[in-house]
Amino acid sequence: MIQVSETAKQRVISLMTEEGYDATKDYVRVGVKSGGCSGLSYELNFDDTIAESDKVFEDNAVRIIVDKKSFLYLVGTVLEYSGGLNGKGFVFNNPNAQRTCGCGESFSL
């Protein structure tokens, strides 16, 4: 399961609306791909379709889909949003990551 903090929820809903998605019907697609300075990097997009192999979750009124491969890397992750002076944006607090890069956008196991 992936959890969504209150600040991330508010930002997700705002961005989905700006991009023409409906947060009550559409999804946040979270994934992992090869790349980044630590080996793996996070992906976050909006989507209105679910693939047969996708895992579907809902937390804090945010509907999330994760492909089967990425799910193994993301179990227990909390999606947060930091809008402070550093302007980090979305932050993945992943308990499975053993090492992350300085920017927090990539990780390794």
Side-chain angles (χ1 to χ4, degrees):
M1 168 135 196
I2 296 174
Q3 296 178 316
V4 180
S5 73
E6 185 62 29
T7 54
K9 169 192 167 181
Q10 297 303 323
R11 189 64 180 144
V12 162
I13 291 171
S14 173
L15 288 171
M16 288 182 90
T17 302
E18 285 177 24
E19 293 191 24
Y21 289 91
D22 181 346
T24 63
K25 293 188 232 174
D26 297 322
Y27 303 90
V28 175
R29 179 173 290 281
V30 180
V32 172
K33 66 178 182 177
S34 295
C37 49
S38 291
L40 297 168
S41 60
Y42 298 106
E43 293 183 304
L44 189 142
N45 299 295
F46 304 127
D47 205 334
D48 57 5
T49 58
I50 301 171
E52 190 175 309
S53 62
D54 284 339
K55 303 276 188 190
V56 180
F57 305 97
E58 185 168 336
D59 186 62
N60 204 4
V62 175
R63 296 162 44 114
I64 302 165
I65 49 178
V66 181
D67 65 86
K68 188 187 262 185
K69 179 184 166 199
S70 295
F71 176 72
L72 299 172
Y73 297 109
L74 296 171
V75 171
T77 295
V78 178
L79 179 63
E80 298 192 37
Y81 183 79
S82 172
L85 293 176
N86 293 337
K88 281 186 113 174
F90 288 101
V91 177
F92 293 85
N93 287 324
N94 185 344
N96 304 303
Q98 294 180 1
R99 186 176 60 127
T100 60
C101 66
C103 65
E105 293 181 13
S106 68
F107 69 101
S108 66
L109 300 176

